[in-house]
Amino acid sequence: MSLADAVASTRSTFRRGIHPPDEKALAAESPIEVLPTPKEIRVPLLQHLGSPCEPTVKPKQAVALGDEVGNVEAMVSAPVHASVAGTVGRATVATLPNGRHVGVLPIKAGEQEIEGRDLYQDLLGGEWPLEEIERCEPREIVEAVRRAGLIGMGGAAFPTHVKLTARDDKPIDTVLVNGCECEPYLAADYRTMIEAPAAIVAGALLAKRALGARRLVVGIEDNKPKAIQHMKTAASGTAVEVKSVRTKYPQGAEKQLVRAVLAATVPEGGLPLDVGALVVNVETAASIARAVLRGKPLTHRIVTVSGRGVARPRNLVVPIGISFSELLAASGGVLPGAARILAGGPMMGFCVGSTSAPVTKGTGAVTVLTHADLQRARETACVRCGRCVDVCPLSLVPTRIAIAARHKDWDLARRYHIKTCMECGCCAWVCPAQIPLVQLIRMGKAEMATA
């Protein structure tokens, strides 16, 4: 199959959106590498929506790779596990990239049973026996995913076992696997689709079986023909469909992907399950396969370290709880022109206040922007051009929401549906007055939550 054939199936998309420079060439052709085990990691006890975990281990206790170290009984939550073998320290507090202060469990690394290429093979390599999937009971799949501590690894941080629990009142017809990775600079999902497509296919089939879904589709932007080709080859002979969608930001958002692939519109305030769909990220799908078929918890994830402010952009398998500073050091360090470090990409990422922040299950990238990247004109008054309205994929009026948030007029912000905004950043990207629209909306949401 040629690359042209791979992308020829469909070029569907959603309404509005933008086309920022993708900048993916910096890291897209860097194969996934395994970072050597650090001397110490700090496992955050809150990496998901819902309640924080309580430690299930004591200081000075020895733990093996994958041992549970924190858990909570609340439904919308997920346990956390040791990502290195070693000795547990006394719990302390750390600030995550999103600004939240959470408890963390330090673990000083000891002798590791598995590292380097062997660890990679254990995580993503080897055989994924598809014939075993039909023998898995749906409740067994959900329970294995819950024990493994899986959450949405595309950034949503919603516990995966809750998503995979079938509901009689809202049956799922189609499982959508999200391979779009539309955020600029990021390449971790792209490399996973090229290097470990079999694991993604196995995990996707398990999700389909857990939900009793009729259809399974992998959606990939058409600027990733190699990924489409590899996924189609891995899916050959299975129930998995691979469809290309038009390259446009934010094509990887759940509601936009549902619109592009299924031509269905998720209602305002609703979720994809309201139109019979469920969306999982490609790395989440691979982790489902590992949890169910190998009985292994989520201890590592793939992180893209990129941007013109870092010496050697690359894609790394890293233990959850490692610091941002160690990822940057392993990538050659930041360059003299570096100006801002982000957790995630430039559209939806958070500015990192300290590089001592630990990597969480939801950290897909570390992006280092330069002063040249950040050159902007001074903010002026709104010129009422309406460009933010023209590009908003949710048909909102971003300027009105942002101004309401700036003046703390929460009633007005609610009337303009501030909670519907998914903070994709399209509005701020096109604003000629340089108003930080999405930042104001994000701060407004945070203040409303604590008011």
Side-chain angles (χ1 to χ4, degrees), residues 224-272:
K224 303 176 182 66
K226 285 174 63 178
I228 295 171
Q229 187 177 44
H230 280 77
M231 288 302 303
K232 284 193 170 183
T233 301
S236 177
T238 74
V240 179
E241 304 171 46
V242 179
K243 288 191 175 296
S244 66
V245 292
R246 194 172 300 174
T247 300
K248 186 167 65 170
Y249 181 85
Q251 184 66 83
E254 283 192 344
K255 294 178 181 178
Q256 282 60 50
L257 186 61
V258 168
R259 178 66 191 170
V261 176
L262 303 179
T265 301
V266 178
E268 182 181 336
L271 296 168

Side-chain angles (χ1 to χ4, degrees), residues 294-319:
R294 297 182 179 176
K296 299 293 182 67
L298 181 59
T299 56
H300 292 70
R301 70 156 300 149
I302 303 166
V303 178
T304 298
V305 183
S306 189
R308 291 188 174 77
V310 67
R312 190 156 63 95
R314 57 199 304 207
N315 298 290
L316 297 169
V317 172
V318 305

